[in-house]
Amino acid sequence: MKIALLGYGKMGKVIERIALERGHEIVLKKDESNTYDGLADANVAIDFSVPSAAVSNISACFNNNVPVVSGTTGWLEHFDEMVTLCNEKKGGFISSSNFSLGVNIFFGLNEYLAKIMAPFDTYNVTMEEIHHTQKLDAPSGTAISLAKGVIENSNYANWTMDEAKVNEIHIEAKRIGDVPGTHTVNYNSIVDSIEIKHTAHNREGFALGAVIAAEWLAGKQGIYSMKDVLNLK
């Protein structure tokens, strides 16, 4: 399979290595210094760039009839625009805040726990996420996905990084060293606490999941998620 890498930072390089190990060919390594030459030759693209480049990268894929897997976060105010363009161009699209198999299992666990805890209003939900100092957006896309998972399965209505009001989930974002990503969901009451936590030890899980998603998406049309890729629905 021929893959275009849109974004060639630390994650892009790990994705490249894993893709090559799985027998794929890299036809484009796009960063701020080069063009999209070679994109049209790709069977699928993987976008791990920066928020300011994501919309241009994804649009270029749809305009070149190349399905795209995007793990870039911090640009989702334009998500509906990209869905519209994907449908217009009959493209293929997977956008996820996190491609790790473990994190996607964690998403499911988080939603299930939220359903169980919803009747017990003596518990207050808070979240913490920790990432490396080079991460540009806060809170992380994964933390936002976790908050949405709780909101959709409980009486909470919103999340905030400020002091939480009633029915708001407070998210604390920390930037420390070279931490790949740690996410914690806490249910706190006067008498006890319940906590679920996912800790990434390196970038390998994110990269492998992105390549697996690209393998799954190649040749398909439509809007999908990691639940489709991993058959978790």
Side-chain angles (χ1 to χ4, degrees):
M1 188 170 72
K2 295 181 178 180
I3 298 175
L5 295 180
L6 307 179
Y8 196 58
K10 289 181 179 178
M11 272 297 298
K13 291 178 173 64
V14 178
I15 290 169
E16 177 186 31
R17 176 175 57 77
I18 289 176
L20 293 174
E21 288 173 352
R22 293 172 71 89
H24 304 305
E25 177 185 354
I26 307 300
V27 296
L28 171 64
K29 292 181 261 190
K30 176 77 174 72
D31 58 24
E32 69 279 358
S33 66
N34 62 349
T35 68
Y36 290 106
D37 286 347
L39 176 60
D41 297 325
N43 302 115
V44 67
I46 301 176
D47 168 55
F48 269 82
S49 56
V50 294
S52 59
V55 171
S56 295
N57 287 344
I58 295 165
S59 298
C61 291
F62 296 147
N63 289 324
N64 283 275
N65 298 313
V66 177
V68 56
V69 168
S70 178
T72 306
T73 57
W75 63 274
L76 291 182
E77 66 272 19
H78 301 291
F79 181 76
D80 290 342
E81 298 170 35
M82 293 299 96
V83 168
T84 298
L85 182 60
C86 179
N87 289 329
E88 287 176 356
K89 299 292 185 177
K90 295 182 171 57
F93 189 31
I94 297 174
S95 175
S96 177
S97 61
N98 200 309
F99 282 93
S100 160
L101 172 60
V103 165
N104 281 277
I105 294 171
F106 189 62
F107 285 155
L109 178 62
N110 173 62
E111 293 171 8
Y112 183 64
L113 181 59
K115 290 178 184 178
I116 294 173
M117 298 299 295
F120 303 101
D121 57 8
T122 56
Y123 287 87
N124 180 51
V125 181
T126 61
M127 297 184 181
E128 179 189 80
E129 59 100 339
I130 307 171
H131 280 88
H132 51 86
T133 53
Q134 293 176 319
K135 186 166 180 60
L136 299 179
D137 57 317
S140 68
T142 301
I144 293 172
S145 294
L146 288 165
K148 287 180 178 177
V150 173
I151 291 165
E152 291 168 0
N153 293 281
S154 70
N155 295 320
Y156 282 89
N158 200 6
W159 62 267
T160 181
M161 293 183 69
D162 300 321
E163 184 176 350
K165 300 174 184 176
V166 176
N167 292 337
E168 285 189 334
I169 301 167
H170 176 71
I171 302 177
E172 183 175 5
K174 297 179 179 179
R175 298 292 174 261
I176 301 172
D178 195 33
V179 176
T182 300
H183 294 85
T184 307
V185 181
N186 292 289
Y187 288 78
N188 299 302
S189 76
I190 295 174
V191 297
D192 60 10
S193 298
I194 300 170
E195 173 184 293
I196 57 172
K197 181 177 182 179
H198 179 274
T199 303
H201 300 307
N202 52 54
R203 293 179 173 86
E204 298 280 325
F206 311 129
L208 176 60
V211 174
I212 289 172
E215 292 169 347
W216 185 90
L217 183 63
K220 290 184 174 68
Q221 295 179 354
I223 315 295
Y224 301 100
S225 72
M226 281 302 285
K227 287 185 177 179
D228 297 302
V229 176
L230 301 175
N231 197 27
L232 294 176
K233 287 189 174 181

